[in-house]
Amino acid sequence: MSRRPPDPRGRKGRARPTKRDSLDLLTGDEALAVLRQLLSSHPALLPHARRAADTLLAAVSFTDIANRVCDALLTLDLDDLDAGPHADGYVEPSEAAWSAIERAVSPFFQDLERRVTLRHEDEATEVCKGIVVGLYRAELGGFELFEYAEDGPSELASQAVAIWRRRRRTCKLPRAFVEQFAPGWDWLLR
């Protein structure tokens, strides 16, 4: 006669509580502190950690960035407009729209800056292209705050290209890319 495997729920049919792994529950800052502690305790892991970081940073696609930029702008609405009287004066709707738009795209610009600083040229190019395409799509989509900051997307695209070109002063975005993904912004080719 064969024995039945033990019931994982215990004798009374109730599920046993699974022990949670504290690593799965760490915040980003806590995980960073653990990683730093491990690397300082085991310096031989440092080259492996660098390779893992480079691999993670290399996994970037302009289409993914473009979708996220566009989504961030298309979700903005008049509720995000902090215009009107404030303690330090009156805020014009256009100024409030610019502020909301800049807040929405700020993480992407920070990512671009970071990659340019690290000299990850290919990844910086992908992020820049993604920002440009996302802004272009949002402008075409006529996101709600666009009427208060009509030149916002093109001016921000220009800023992204300027950040990307810091190390590549003579580089331009490829003509085929601009013609396919941002045909109305031929100024990107100048």
Side-chain angles (χ1 to χ4, degrees):
M1 186 188 307
S2 67
R3 268 186 98 190
R4 237 191 289 166
D7 188 347
R9 295 176 298 179
R11 292 181 188 206
K12 296 188 179 183
R14 289 184 297 211
R16 288 184 190 164
T18 58
K19 185 174 180 181
R20 295 196 179 239
D21 186 344
S22 59
L23 291 175
D24 293 334
L25 302 175
L26 294 176
T27 65
D29 290 338
E30 291 166 338
L32 178 61
V34 168
L35 176 63
R36 285 191 173 145
Q37 184 178 4
L38 279 172
L39 292 175
S40 68
S41 301
H42 304 283
L45 293 175
L46 198 54
H48 301 291
R50 281 194 178 109
R51 274 195 301 279
D54 286 340
T55 300
L56 181 65
L57 288 172
V60 64
S61 134
F62 85 87
T63 54
D64 179 49
I65 300 286
N67 290 337
R68 290 177 23 223
V69 167
C70 187
D71 289 347
L73 292 174
L74 292 177
T75 59
L76 293 175
D77 60 23
L78 294 178
D79 291 337
D80 297 301
L81 208 61
D82 192 19
H86 287 70
D88 55 342
Y90 185 80
V91 176
E92 295 289 334
S94 62
E95 183 182 345
W98 265 97
S99 180
I101 292 166
E102 287 173 335
R103 271 194 314 277
V105 298
S106 171
F108 305 100
F109 277 80
Q110 290 169 357
D111 188 26
L112 176 59
E113 289 271 6
R114 177 176 64 138
R115 292 169 193 271
V116 167
T117 300
L118 291 170
R119 296 179 182 220
H120 289 205
E121 304 296 342
D122 294 338
E123 293 87 356
T125 301
E126 288 296 299
V127 173
C128 181
K129 289 166 45 178
I131 291 170
V132 167
V133 172
L135 291 165
Y136 186 78
R137 288 180 189 163
E139 182 177 273
L140 287 181
F143 65 101
E144 196 163 356
L145 298 187
F146 180 63
E147 69 182 84
Y148 296 102
E150 287 183 22
D151 295 332
S154 61
E155 284 190 36
L156 288 169
S158 177
Q159 288 176 24
V161 170
I163 292 168
W164 172 71
R165 290 183 63 196
R166 276 191 205 138
R167 292 197 150 352
R168 307 163 167 235
R169 299 208 188 285
T170 59
C171 286
K172 297 177 184 159
L173 292 174
R175 176 175 291 284
F177 168 79
V178 174
E179 289 173 351
Q180 181 176 356
F181 294 102
W185 286 356
D186 59 349
W187 54 266
L188 289 167
L189 300 171
R190 293 186 210 123

